[in-house]
């Protein structure tokens, strides 16, 4: 096995999507603190202004710009602005933007499922396709795609979110092989639960389904999910900066791993996915959600 070495970040450039809060914000700040010139892309103007102020106060090479990753025109405008600022090719692209919608697969509205995939899957392809020609021309670069441990194991109600992350895992695997001849590494980050603003956004996006849970035939599934989610989040001490440090490793280790799992619980889940049969893993999830006793309640 080839030894991993750390490469200098001097004068290296990175574009991070969804960088106005949570994991993206923490990663943008950490990379800038380590000498990267970072373009932090996002939509909320207020949050972009606060990042600009932070960069000025701390003397960081951290520049914000508007980008809606679900819009071809917005992505193109952002790249043109970056080129106007003198950068044509990035050393790293971090595809971090994402949303989560929780609902039973029978009940999820098609427009919500489309929104889930537009943000978590199609946007990664959209932004990567815009960045790759210049990377291929230089024959170097790294693309880091933020997946989730939910891209390995699907929980009840997380079918919309998990399916988008399963798709992202497959896309990343294909890209990793396709881009190998051009010296471009593709890496997947698989975090477990980390408290961020995405959780509140997910609650808002899923509020329609939660409001109807008591009348839903899946009421017992909603109840089980709430119990399991409470157990997952209770006492969690992982913070966005923990994930940011792993992303920095993925950008500086040579060669990088294909995947980096973040949080202790996520590592346990990944291990169980490898060693348990589908039937055994199902039993474990059913027990954790109380759905193994669902027949007694319906």
């Amino acid at each position: 096995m080839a030894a991993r070495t750390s490469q200098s970040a001097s004068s290296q450039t990175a574009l991070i999507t969804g960088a106005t809060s949570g994991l993206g914000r923490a990663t943008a700040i950490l990379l800038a603190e380590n000498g990267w010139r970072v373009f932090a892309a996002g939509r909320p103007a207020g949050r972009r202004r606060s990042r600009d102020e932070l960069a000025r106060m701390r003397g960081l090479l951290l520049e914000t710009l508007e980008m809606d990753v679900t819009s071809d025109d917005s992505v193109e405008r952002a790249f043109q602005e970056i080129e106007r600022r003198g950068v044509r090719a990035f050393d790293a692209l971090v595809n971090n933007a994402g949303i989560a919608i929780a609902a039973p697969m029978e009940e999820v509205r098609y427009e919500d499922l489309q929104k889930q995939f537009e943000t978590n899957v199609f946007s990664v392809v959209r932004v990567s396709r815009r960045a790759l020609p210049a990377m291929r021309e230089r024959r170097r670069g790294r693309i880091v795609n933020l997946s989730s441990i939910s891209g390995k194991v699907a929980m009840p109600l997380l079918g919309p979110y998990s399916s988008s992350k399963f798709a992202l895992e497959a896309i990343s695997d294909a890209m990793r092989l396709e881009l190998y001849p051009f010296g471009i590494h593709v890496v997947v980050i698989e975090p477990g639960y980390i408290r961020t603003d995405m959780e509140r956004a997910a609650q808002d996006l899923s509020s329609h389904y939660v409001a109807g849970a008591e009348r839903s035939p899946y009421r017992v599934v909603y109840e089980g999910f709430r119990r399991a989610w409470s157990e997952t989040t209770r006492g969690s001490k992982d913070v966005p900066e923990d994930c940011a440090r792993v992303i920095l490793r993925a950008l500086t280790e040579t060669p990088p791993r294909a995947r980096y799992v973040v949080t202790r619980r996520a590592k346990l889940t990944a291990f169980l996915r490898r060693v348990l049969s589908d039937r055994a893993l199902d039993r474990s999830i059913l027990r954790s959600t109380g759905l193994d006793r669902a027949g007694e309640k319906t």
Side-chain angles (χ1 to χ4, degrees), residues 144-156:
V144 173
N145 292 331
L146 266 291
S147 181
S148 166
I149 196 59
S150 293
K152 291 293 190 187
V153 177
M155 295 287 290

Side-chain angles (χ1 to χ4, degrees), residues 65-68 71-84 130:
L65 66 154
E66 181 180 2
M67 182 191 290
D68 177 355
S71 165
D72 291 341
D73 290 341
S74 179
V75 170
E76 181 59 31
R77 285 194 299 270
F79 271 83
Q80 289 178 359
E81 174 61 21
I82 292 168
E83 291 168 0
R84 189 188 67 77
R130 186 56 177 81

Side-chain angles (χ1 to χ4, degrees), residues 18-271:
T20 56
S21 65
L23 305 184
R25 176 185 184 276
T27 302
I29 293 172
L30 181 62
L31 263 60
E33 289 174 340
N34 279 268
W36 291 69
R37 182 181 180 185
V38 178
F39 292 91
R43 287 187 296 178
R47 289 178 176 176
R48 294 201 311 273
R49 284 194 294 270
S50 69
R51 295 300 86 73
D52 290 336
E53 181 61 26
L54 175 67
R56 282 193 294 270
M57 290 176 58
R58 298 174 58 179
L60 301 176
L61 291 174
L62 176 57
E63 306 171 44
T64 64
L65 66 154
E66 181 180 2
M67 182 191 290
D68 177 355
V69 295
T70 67
S71 165
D72 291 341
D73 290 341
S74 179
V75 170
E76 181 59 31
R77 285 194 299 270
F79 271 83
Q80 289 178 359
E81 174 61 21
I82 292 168
E83 291 168 0
R84 189 188 67 77
R85 298 183 193 182
V87 175
R88 181 173 173 271
F90 297 106
D91 295 287
L93 166 62
V94 181
N95 286 306
N96 167 74
I99 62 172
I101 296 174
M105 291 306 301
E106 182 183 349
E107 295 185 347
V108 67
R109 296 180 293 194
Y110 288 129
E111 56 265 36
D112 284 338
L113 194 58
Q114 184 174 4
K115 182 187 299 183
Q116 181 75 86
F117 272 73
E118 186 65 57
T119 306
N120 289 15
V121 181
F122 302 145
S123 71
V124 171
V125 177
R126 177 178 292 112
V127 178
S128 297
R129 288 176 68 171
R130 186 56 177 81
L132 274 170
M135 282 185 171
R136 282 191 291 100
E137 184 178 322
R138 296 174 68 194
R139 303 188 76 82
R140 71 175 186 270
R142 298 196 184 188
I143 295 179
V144 173
N145 292 331
L146 266 291
S147 181
S148 166
I149 196 59
S150 293
K152 291 293 190 187
V153 177
M155 295 287 290
L157 299 193
L158 290 183
Y161 178 68
S162 286
S163 60
S164 72
K165 293 303 186 180
F166 270 68
L168 180 59
E169 297 265 346
I171 288 170
S172 301
D173 286 344
M175 289 178 66
R176 186 174 65 254
L177 299 172
E178 292 163 357
L179 294 173
Y180 178 83
F182 303 102
I184 299 170
H185 297 284
V186 178
V187 178
V188 174
I189 307 294
E190 298 172 336
Y193 173 76
I194 298 174
R195 190 178 299 279
T196 68
D197 289 346
M198 182 180 175
E199 184 175 0
R200 184 171 64 249
Q203 292 171 352
D204 293 340
L205 289 166
S206 308
S207 60
H208 167 81
Y209 305 103
V210 174
E214 287 301 315
R215 301 183 303 276
S216 170
Y218 293 95
R219 178 179 55 82
V220 67
V221 180
Y222 281 100
E223 293 171 352
F225 176 81
R226 281 195 289 265
R227 283 193 299 272
W229 188 251
S230 176
E231 177 64 26
T232 296
T233 59
R234 186 184 303 122
S236 173
K237 298 180 180 179
D238 296 294
V239 295
E241 287 73 17
D242 295 327
C243 188
R245 284 189 288 271
V246 175
I247 293 172
L248 180 60
R249 279 181 54 204
L251 292 175
T252 55
E253 285 186 344
T254 301
R257 302 175 187 173
R259 285 171 171 78
Y260 293 79
V261 183
V262 187
T263 79
R264 183 171 178 268
R265 183 182 288 268
K267 291 176 181 177
L268 175 60
T269 301
F271 172 75

